[in-house]
């Protein structure tokens, strides 16, 4: 999804930058600067790569085995619906950037000590790889609870069949609450939790090995390249693991029939899609998701560094 992957990559970037600064005897970037730089980087990335997210959702909601390409889908959207449709639903992800980031940092601060062990010599808390995976999964699940309403509105606006149903973000929000009830905003919560838990587990499970395998950086530019490469590789692995959950989440959140919904619980929905459309249907939208990892990660790194550098050079 547009949130799980990038929220954790930005969080890991801020952690890596802080660790590098401490190892070099420098003062780490203040938390508020990290928070602001991460937010600006995340919003910039959303604005630039959002059309790929729209295409991803269209692919995931399309029932059947018809093969369509990213470019042809974009072209069809522009031709039949207008260029602005490529950015329909962009407001919810932008609005959720700040609360999502706040929850991410707070959750990691809360869960990390729970899964840390005390060093017998120094008395300091140490977080090993299994602890980092557990903390990452728990933090991702906590974050999922916060973002579900934003995700639901985004999916409803992106869906082709809803083009004439909702005028904008706030119209969609009011109609969902009025017609389906307030709790409808949390439709797909279970699938979202699974999506985040699986992605975080894969990401934090692999990032330690990848960072150890990559050569140590001797320059700031080298460290940026190292972080980018590690993020792209582990992000792709996480996406391979959680795309089925993302497909299910999109299908569940776009359902308006609450009496006889086709898709219910996460694992049952995965079984339904695999049985009716084949296993490959669980990976609809995989390519647009992966294509965002490279450029998206690059944009995040560049913008984050630029904002951080601006702070350091201000009088």
């Amino acid at each position: 999804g547009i949130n799980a992957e990038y929220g954790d990559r930005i969080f890991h970037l801020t952690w890596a930058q802080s660790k590098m600064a401490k190892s070099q005897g420098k003062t780490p970037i203040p938390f508020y600067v990290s928070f602001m730089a991460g937010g600006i980087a995340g919003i910039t990335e959303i604005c630039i790569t959002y059309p790929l997210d729209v295409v991803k959702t269209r692919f995931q909601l399309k029932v059947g085995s018809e093969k369509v390409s990213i470019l042809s889908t974009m072209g069809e959207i522009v031709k039949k619906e207008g260029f602005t449709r490529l950015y329909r639903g962009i407001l919810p992800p932008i609005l959720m950037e700040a609360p999502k980031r706040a929850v991410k940092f707070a959750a990691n601060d809360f869960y990390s000590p729970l899964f840390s062990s005390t060093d017998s010599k120094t008395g300091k808390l140490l977080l090993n790889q299994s602890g980092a995976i557990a903390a990452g999964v728990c933090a991702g699940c906590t974050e999922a609870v916060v973002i579900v309403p934003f995700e639901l509105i985004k999916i409803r606006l992106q869906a082709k069949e809803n083009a004439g149903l909702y005028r904008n973000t706030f119209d969609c929000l009011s109609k969902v609450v009025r017609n389906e009830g307030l709790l409808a905003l949390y439709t797909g919560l279970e699938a979202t939790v699974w999506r985040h838990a699986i992605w975080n587990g894969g990401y934090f499970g692999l990032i330690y090995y990848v960072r150890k395998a990559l050569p140590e950086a001797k320059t700031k530019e080298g460290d940026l390249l190292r972080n980018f490469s590690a993020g792209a590789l582990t992000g792709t692995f996480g996406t391979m693991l959680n795309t089925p959950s993302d497909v299910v989440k999109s299908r569940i959140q776009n359902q308006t029939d609450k009496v006889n919904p086709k898709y219910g619980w996460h694992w049952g929905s995965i079984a339904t899609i695999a049985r009716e459309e084949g296993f490959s249907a669980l990976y609809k939208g995989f390519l647009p998701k992966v294509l965002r990892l490279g450029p998206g990660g690059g944009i995040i790194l560049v913008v984050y560094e630029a904002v951080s550098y601006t702070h350091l050079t201000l009088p």
Side-chain angles (χ1 to χ4, degrees), residues 209-223:
Y209 292 113
V210 172
R211 287 184 65 81
K212 283 182 180 178
L214 293 173
E216 285 293 329
K218 295 181 173 62
T219 63
K220 182 181 177 182
E221 290 74 20
D223 191 62

Side-chain angles (χ1 to χ4, degrees), residues 108-119:
N108 272 280
D109 283 346
F110 176 78
Y111 290 117
S112 292
L114 296 180
F115 297 102
S116 298
S117 56
T118 305
D119 188 286

